[in-house]
Amino acid sequence: EVQGPPSPSKRLVAMEGKAKAPSAPLTIRGQKLSGHELEPVIISGSSTVQQLSDLFRQQLVGAPCRVTLALHGQALSMDDTVETCLTDGADVQVIIRPDAWTLREVDMDTGLRVLLEGDAGWEGETLLLRHQTACASPGWDICPDLDSDFAVEATVKLDDWPGPDWQGTVVSQHGSGTGWELRCGGPGVNCVFTTSRGGHNEHMLPLKGKVGKWHHLCMVYEKSTRSITLYADGVGGEPKKIEGKFKPHTAGGVEIGRNPAWHDRGIVGRIRNATVWPQGLNTKDLPHLAAEQVAQAEASELDGLKPTSAAASSG
């Protein structure tokens, strides 16, 4: 279990100060995915799921910062009241979340469906982008701290390869002179990491076999060297030094598959496991991680080609 501090924008603040009729206390039981049972929590029904989550979190070793509560496999929305989604004696799963934001159809932190725009859709855990303007908007707002490591990764399969190197946005929170972006186009994989002294700090890594094949793409900033490195399928290029202070993009959140400022910058194809690591990741694990993610992506397509039991029986 990997723990870490959440992005401030992802903390859903409990409702306070509103005059409400007293609610009867509820006893909620919780257990970790390992089956380990935690001490039951007695809480007012008018309290939020966030407050309930905090009480369970305090029982966990190290008091990890990010905890999701789930009922029958469905994540609970943190700003709902306890009485609207749980009954007295309910058993919830207490899920320790890693220090990463990973795109899923239903956000594991909020329990809400991720907003899709343009001609975007889901096929299992794969995001389908049928047009350049299609994207997923998970609502993340992530500002890298240059005194901490930072990384972004995604597994992609493109139907068309963007001509200009700036056109194929994969994961982005980038605008005019601001923000960060992992993208592809032209000769290969590209990234933007905007700072006060370096401008966009654009960086490129050549990539072959671009269309119709799954690739794992990753950009990594390391505080120890103050440099950014691009990886394709687990293999890194030359690092690029970064100077100055990071310049955040404040006019929009993270978008997957499209630039939040210029909607004609996007890709046509598929994305899986789009993940932002606000505290970085272990680059020694990247070759294994990349191979594993690509294998899972290829397997997901094979599973999609298998006939259903009904179709098989009718044949």
Side-chain angles (χ1 to χ4, degrees):
E1 295 167 337
V2 181
Q3 300 94 29
S7 170
S9 66
K10 295 285 288 186
R11 297 190 188 115
L12 299 176
V13 181
M15 294 177 289
E16 296 177 351
K18 295 183 179 179
K20 293 183 178 180
S23 295
L26 302 176
T27 299
I28 308 298
R29 295 191 292 266
Q31 65 174 235
K32 298 168 63 177
L33 292 179
S34 64
H36 174 75
E37 294 187 359
L38 302 175
E39 288 293 323
V41 168
I42 301 175
I43 190 170
S44 168
S46 60
S47 298
T48 63
V49 172
Q50 176 70 70
Q51 291 169 320
L52 176 63
S53 172
D54 288 342
L55 293 173
F56 278 122
R57 179 177 60 83
Q58 293 167 18
Q59 298 184 42
L60 300 172
V61 175
C65 290
R66 298 182 63 211
V67 169
T68 292
L69 301 184
L71 180 68
H72 308 310
Q74 290 290 113
L76 303 179
S77 178
M78 290 294 183
D79 54 356
D80 280 351
T81 59
V82 175
E83 61 192 358
T84 61
C85 53
L86 297 172
T87 57
D88 189 42
D91 291 285
V92 297
Q93 287 182 315
V94 181
I95 305 170
I96 299 174
R97 307 290 297 137
D99 182 29
W101 313 127
T102 299
L103 182 70
R104 291 289 184 266
E105 184 175 0
V106 177
D107 190 277
M108 284 298 294
D109 293 293
T110 65
L112 303 176
R113 289 190 176 276
V114 168
L115 174 66
L116 299 181
E117 298 185 34
D119 197 2
W122 290 99
E123 188 176 89
E125 294 185 354
T126 301
L127 176 66
L128 306 180
L129 302 165
R130 304 179 184 92
H131 190 271
Q132 194 177 39
T133 60
C135 77
S137 298
W140 308 337
D141 182 12
I142 300 171
C143 177
D145 176 359
L146 298 192
D147 290 327
S148 299
D149 292 343
F150 178 77
V152 182
E153 63 165 315
T155 310
V156 304
K157 180 180 180 181
L158 272 66
D159 297 338
D160 297 299
W161 186 258
D165 57 14
W166 45 262
Q167 193 171 43
T169 297
V170 178
V171 186
S172 177
Q173 192 171 9
H174 165 53
S176 180
T178 59
W180 56 267
E181 181 169 83
L182 175 63
R183 62 195 189 192
C184 53
V189 187
N190 194 313
C191 72
V192 166
F193 200 75
T194 312
T195 60
S196 58
R197 293 181 60 187
H200 278 172
N201 291 300
E202 292 187 51
H203 198 28
M204 172 66 72
L205 177 66
L207 178 67
K208 296 181 179 179
K210 302 167 184 138
V211 176
K213 180 181 177 181
W214 284 101
H215 290 285
H216 181 268
L217 312 179
C218 185
M219 59 178 280
V220 175
Y221 169 79
E222 293 182 288
K223 66 175 182 179
S224 60
T225 59
R226 294 190 71 84
S227 63
I228 195 162
T229 305
L230 281 167
Y231 292 79
D233 299 323
V235 179
E238 291 296 319
K240 180 183 178 70
K241 282 284 187 179
I242 302 296
E243 296 183 354
K245 295 183 178 180
F246 183 77
K247 296 179 67 176
H249 177 64
T250 58
V254 175
E255 292 194 0
I256 315 295
R258 186 183 75 180
N259 183 284
W262 298 285
H263 291 179
D264 60 343
R265 300 184 183 185
I267 64 171
V268 178
R270 298 163 178 250
I271 297 179
R272 290 174 57 88
N273 300 308
T275 303
V276 179
W277 299 83
Q279 302 297 318
L281 52 75
N282 187 348
T283 55
K284 292 181 180 179
D285 295 336
L286 266 178
H288 172 74
L289 173 66
E292 184 178 59
Q293 301 284 37
V294 168
Q296 289 177 359
E298 292 172 343
S300 72
E301 290 191 314
L302 293 176
D303 289 341
L305 294 175
K306 292 179 181 178
T308 64
S309 57
S313 61
S314 64

